[in-house]
Amino acid sequence: MKFEVIDNFLEKENFENIIETFFPKDLNNPNNFVWNYVKGIVRDPELGPTGYEEHDWMYNKPLYSTENGLRFDRHYAIVKPILNKLNIGKLFDIRANLLVPTEKHVYHEFHTDRRVPHTVALFYVTDCNGFTILKDTAKVECMKNRMLLFDGSIEHHSVSSTDKTRCVININYENISE
């Protein structure tokens, strides 16, 4: 598999549950989803200049990880409908990423998420004019409820939006058949 795009990936109720969790209407609820500020979108800023330092940050929320001692975040259940539709043998990590709009499109650095064979599932939560570039393969626009599946060995990068918040759920896993 090089890549696959699936629109309307989740049923309406499951998709709306994610929206309501990530962007709650009741801001005083102590159970609200809390985003973490992260300096350095793709890599550690200590490695040197990126050329887009002013915009080299995002909000992030790990939902599942096999690294750093975290296993399941309390909001993990909202991604179960996504996981149930994937061919997951071994799950590495799940994280929600949120980028605020920038004045001009910011092209982040090409990278791979892991050094071992894996599949990347990018689930787009919001509509915006940002996109994802798969090196020498494709440009995929951010459309809510769209799933992008691709071979994790393909270098890729995000591109910020200039109109609305860009929010994706990034899932790295090994397929059952691998």
Side-chain angles (χ1 to χ4, degrees):
M1 170 220 328
K2 281 281 191 190
F3 77 97
E4 180 181 6
V5 175
I6 307 165
D7 289 330
N8 300 311
F9 187 74
L10 287 180
E11 293 72 25
K12 184 178 179 180
E13 179 182 325
N14 293 325
F15 180 70
E16 287 177 356
N17 186 36
I18 291 172
I19 293 292
E20 290 168 12
T21 301
F22 285 7
F23 307 104
K25 292 181 178 125
D26 177 8
L27 299 178
N28 295 317
N29 185 337
N31 294 318
N32 278 349
F33 194 83
V34 177
W35 292 94
N36 304 307
Y37 172 84
V38 177
K39 182 73 175 161
I41 290 177
V42 174
R43 65 189 181 90
D44 184 343
E46 299 298 319
L47 296 176
T50 60
Y52 50 87
E53 278 71 25
E54 180 182 355
H55 304 291
D56 194 13
W57 61 275
M58 68 177 168
Y59 294 107
N60 173 283
K61 176 71 168 185
L63 298 171
Y64 175 86
S65 178
T66 55
E67 300 170 0
N68 302 325
L70 172 70
R71 285 303 227 179
F72 296 95
D73 178 82
R74 66 187 175 116
H75 291 100
Y76 170 80
I78 65 164
V79 295
K80 290 291 280 181
I82 296 172
L83 301 178
N84 291 339
K85 296 183 85 170
L86 299 175
N87 190 30
I88 296 176
K90 178 180 180 182
L91 183 60
F92 294 114
D93 58 58
I94 305 168
R95 61 192 174 279
N97 296 325
L98 187 143
L99 297 171
V100 298
T102 53
E103 187 176 322
K104 297 177 183 175
H105 288 293
V106 174
Y107 290 69
H108 304 115
E109 296 181 28
F110 276 111
H111 67 282
T112 55
D113 293 353
R114 305 193 82 71
R115 294 181 185 192
V116 297
H118 67 290
T119 297
V120 177
L122 284 182
F123 180 75
Y124 297 91
V125 178
T126 57
D127 281 326
C128 69
N129 67 0
F131 44 95
T132 302
I133 300 285
L134 303 180
K135 192 172 190 174
D136 302 324
T137 307
K139 171 184 171 182
V140 180
E141 297 175 355
C142 297
M143 291 179 57
K144 66 182 177 184
N145 203 8
R146 169 177 277 179
M147 176 61 77
L148 168 61
L149 300 170
F150 62 95
D151 181 322
S153 67
I154 298 173
E155 288 187 58
H156 59 283
H157 70 82
S158 57
V159 177
S160 69
S161 67
T162 62
D163 61 348
K164 300 175 193 167
T165 299
R166 180 185 196 274
C167 183
V168 300
I169 297 172
N170 181 311
I171 303 168
N172 290 282
Y173 64 97
E174 185 178 279
N175 284 318
I176 289 174
S177 59
E178 290 180 358

PDB file of all heavy atoms in Angstrom, residues 114-127:
ATOM      1  N   ARG A 114       8.351   6.801  12.572  1.00  0.00           N
ATOM      2  CA  ARG A 114       9.051   5.728  13.287  1.00  0.00           C
ATOM      3  C   ARG A 114      10.138   5.153  12.386  1.00  0.00           C
ATOM      4  O   ARG A 114      10.077   5.303  11.174  1.00  0.00           O
ATOM      5  CB  ARG A 114       8.073   4.621  13.672  1.00  0.00           C
ATOM      6  CG  ARG A 114       6.874   5.131  14.480  1.00  0.00           C
ATOM      7  CD  ARG A 114       6.100   4.006  15.097  1.00  0.00           C
ATOM      8  NE  ARG A 114       6.666   3.516  16.319  1.00  0.00           N
ATOM      9  CZ  ARG A 114       6.669   4.173  17.483  1.00  0.00           C
ATOM     10  NH1 ARG A 114       6.164   5.355  17.560  1.00  0.00           N
ATOM     11  NH2 ARG A 114       7.185   3.634  18.555  1.00  0.00           N
ATOM     12  N   ARG A 115      11.049   4.436  12.987  1.00  0.00           N
ATOM     13  CA  ARG A 115      12.147   3.820  12.219  1.00  0.00           C
ATOM     14  C   ARG A 115      11.879   2.362  11.895  1.00  0.00           C
ATOM     15  O   ARG A 115      12.695   1.711  11.261  1.00  0.00           O
ATOM     16  CB  ARG A 115      13.449   3.957  12.987  1.00  0.00           C
ATOM     17  CG  ARG A 115      13.877   5.393  13.101  1.00  0.00           C
ATOM     18  CD  ARG A 115      15.172   5.536  13.826  1.00  0.00           C
ATOM     19  NE  ARG A 115      15.434   6.971  13.990  1.00  0.00           N
ATOM     20  CZ  ARG A 115      16.558   7.466  14.362  1.00  0.00           C
ATOM     21  NH1 ARG A 115      17.569   6.669  14.641  1.00  0.00           N
ATOM     22  NH2 ARG A 115      16.708   8.760  14.493  1.00  0.00           N
ATOM     23  N   VAL A 116      10.779   1.840  12.353  1.00  0.00           N
ATOM     24  CA  VAL A 116      10.416   0.451  12.077  1.00  0.00           C
ATOM     25  C   VAL A 116       9.265   0.442  11.072  1.00  0.00           C
ATOM     26  O   VAL A 116       8.551   1.437  10.943  1.00  0.00           O
ATOM     27  CB  VAL A 116      10.006  -0.294  13.373  1.00  0.00           C
ATOM     28  CG1 VAL A 116      11.173  -0.356  14.350  1.00  0.00           C
ATOM     29  CG2 VAL A 116       8.803   0.363  14.020  1.00  0.00           C
ATOM     30  N   PRO A 117       9.060  -0.660  10.358  1.00  0.00           N
ATOM     31  CA  PRO A 117       7.929  -0.715   9.421  1.00  0.00           C
ATOM     32  C   PRO A 117       6.610  -0.447  10.148  1.00  0.00           C
ATOM     33  O   PRO A 117       6.370  -1.004  11.230  1.00  0.00           O
ATOM     34  CB  PRO A 117       7.980  -2.147   8.884  1.00  0.00           C
ATOM     35  CG  PRO A 117       9.407  -2.562   9.059  1.00  0.00           C
ATOM     36  CD  PRO A 117       9.869  -1.884  10.325  1.00  0.00           C
ATOM     37  N   HIS A 118       5.797   0.414   9.577  1.00  0.00           N
ATOM     38  CA  HIS A 118       4.516   0.753  10.192  1.00  0.00           C
ATOM     39  C   HIS A 118       3.602   1.404   9.157  1.00  0.00           C
ATOM     40  O   HIS A 118       4.034   1.741   8.057  1.00  0.00           O
ATOM     41  CB  HIS A 118       4.712   1.695  11.395  1.00  0.00           C
ATOM     42  CG  HIS A 118       5.206   3.057  11.058  1.00  0.00           C
ATOM     43  ND1 HIS A 118       6.481   3.304  10.613  1.00  0.00           N
ATOM     44  CD2 HIS A 118       4.588   4.268  11.091  1.00  0.00           C
ATOM     45  CE1 HIS A 118       6.644   4.588  10.396  1.00  0.00           C
ATOM     46  NE2 HIS A 118       5.495   5.208  10.665  1.00  0.00           N
ATOM     47  N   THR A 119       2.368   1.584   9.543  1.00  0.00           N
ATOM     48  CA  THR A 119       1.382   2.305   8.754  1.00  0.00           C
ATOM     49  C   THR A 119       1.017   3.561   9.523  1.00  0.00           C
ATOM     50  O   THR A 119       0.937   3.548  10.747  1.00  0.00           O
ATOM     51  CB  THR A 119       0.120   1.445   8.526  1.00  0.00           C
ATOM     52  OG1 THR A 119       0.499   0.286   7.771  1.00  0.00           O
ATOM     53  CG2 THR A 119      -0.952   2.201   7.775  1.00  0.00           C
ATOM     54  N   VAL A 120       0.808   4.651   8.785  1.00  0.00           N
ATOM     55  CA  VAL A 120       0.352   5.895   9.392  1.00  0.00           C
ATOM     56  C   VAL A 120      -1.105   6.102   8.984  1.00  0.00           C
ATOM     57  O   VAL A 120      -1.464   5.972   7.820  1.00  0.00           O
ATOM     58  CB  VAL A 120       1.187   7.111   8.939  1.00  0.00           C
ATOM     59  CG1 VAL A 120       0.634   8.406   9.523  1.00  0.00           C
ATOM     60  CG2 VAL A 120       2.656   6.924   9.307  1.00  0.00           C
ATOM     61  N   ALA A 121      -1.932   6.404   9.969  1.00  0.00           N
ATOM     62  CA  ALA A 121      -3.327   6.781   9.723  1.00  0.00           C
ATOM     63  C   ALA A 121      -3.469   8.218  10.207  1.00  0.00           C
ATOM     64  O   ALA A 121      -3.258   8.500  11.383  1.00  0.00           O
ATOM     65  CB  ALA A 121      -4.276   5.863  10.487  1.00  0.00           C
ATOM     66  N   LEU A 122      -3.787   9.128   9.285  1.00  0.00           N
ATOM     67  CA  LEU A 122      -4.059  10.520   9.640  1.00  0.00           C
ATOM     68  C   LEU A 122      -5.546  10.746   9.458  1.00  0.00           C
ATOM     69  O   LEU A 122      -6.066  10.659   8.345  1.00  0.00           O
ATOM     70  CB  LEU A 122      -3.290  11.489   8.736  1.00  0.00           C
ATOM     71  CG  LEU A 122      -1.815  11.672   8.987  1.00  0.00           C
ATOM     72  CD1 LEU A 122      -1.243  12.699   8.016  1.00  0.00           C
ATOM     73  CD2 LEU A 122      -1.535  12.090  10.405  1.00  0.00           C
ATOM     74  N   PHE A 123      -6.214  11.027  10.568  1.00  0.00           N
ATOM     75  CA  PHE A 123      -7.648  11.289  10.533  1.00  0.00           C
ATOM     76  C   PHE A 123      -7.847  12.791  10.705  1.00  0.00           C
ATOM     77  O   PHE A 123      -7.463  13.364  11.726  1.00  0.00           O
ATOM     78  CB  PHE A 123      -8.369  10.522  11.646  1.00  0.00           C
ATOM     79  CG  PHE A 123      -9.844  10.757  11.651  1.00  0.00           C
ATOM     80  CD1 PHE A 123     -10.657  10.167  10.703  1.00  0.00           C
ATOM     81  CD2 PHE A 123     -10.414  11.597  12.598  1.00  0.00           C
ATOM     82  CE1 PHE A 123     -12.024  10.404  10.694  1.00  0.00           C
ATOM     83  CE2 PHE A 123     -11.777  11.833  12.603  1.00  0.00           C
ATOM     84  CZ  PHE A 123     -12.582  11.238  11.645  1.00  0.00           C
ATOM     85  N   TYR A 124      -8.438  13.414   9.700  1.00  0.00           N
ATOM     86  CA  TYR A 124      -8.635  14.863   9.712  1.00  0.00           C
ATOM     87  C   TYR A 124      -9.921  15.199  10.460  1.00  0.00           C
ATOM     88  O   TYR A 124     -10.999  14.748  10.099  1.00  0.00           O
ATOM     89  CB  TYR A 124      -8.680  15.408   8.283  1.00  0.00           C
ATOM     90  CG  TYR A 124      -7.375  15.189   7.547  1.00  0.00           C
ATOM     91  CD1 TYR A 124      -7.161  14.040   6.791  1.00  0.00           C
ATOM     92  CD2 TYR A 124      -6.346  16.116   7.635  1.00  0.00           C
ATOM     93  CE1 TYR A 124      -5.961  13.832   6.130  1.00  0.00           C
ATOM     94  CE2 TYR A 124      -5.139  15.913   6.984  1.00  0.00           C
ATOM     95  CZ  TYR A 124      -4.951  14.769   6.231  1.00  0.00           C
ATOM     96  OH  TYR A 124      -3.759  14.557   5.585  1.00  0.00           O
ATOM     97  N   VAL A 125      -9.776  16.013  11.501  1.00  0.00           N
ATOM     98  CA  VAL A 125     -10.898  16.382  12.356  1.00  0.00           C
ATOM     99  C   VAL A 125     -11.574  17.658  11.852  1.00  0.00           C
ATOM    100  O   VAL A 125     -12.774  17.820  11.998  1.00  0.00           O
ATOM    101  CB  VAL A 125     -10.424  16.553  13.821  1.00  0.00           C
ATOM    102  CG1 VAL A 125     -11.561  16.986  14.732  1.00  0.00           C
ATOM    103  CG2 VAL A 125      -9.788  15.255  14.326  1.00  0.00           C
ATOM    104  N   THR A 126     -10.792  18.546  11.247  1.00  0.00           N
ATOM    105  CA  THR A 126     -11.334  19.832  10.796  1.00  0.00           C
ATOM    106  C   THR A 126     -11.121  20.039   9.303  1.00  0.00           C
ATOM    107  O   THR A 126     -10.197  19.482   8.714  1.00  0.00           O
ATOM    108  CB  THR A 126     -10.661  21.004  11.545  1.00  0.00           C
ATOM    109  OG1 THR A 126      -9.244  20.935  11.347  1.00  0.00           O
ATOM    110  CG2 THR A 126     -10.982  20.972  13.033  1.00  0.00           C
ATOM    111  N   ASP A 127     -11.983  20.872   8.726  1.00  0.00           N
ATOM    112  CA  ASP A 127     -11.794  21.378   7.365  1.00  0.00           C
ATOM    113  C   ASP A 127     -10.896  22.598   7.449  1.00  0.00           C
ATOM    114  O   ASP A 127     -11.081  23.446   8.324  1.00  0.00           O
ATOM    115  CB  ASP A 127     -13.128  21.863   6.767  1.00  0.00           C
ATOM    116  CG  ASP A 127     -14.010  20.744   6.270  1.00  0.00           C
ATOM    117  OD1 ASP A 127     -13.489  19.735   5.778  1.00  0.00           O
ATOM    118  OD2 ASP A 127     -15.243  20.902   6.363  1.00  0.00           O
TER     119      ASP A 127
END
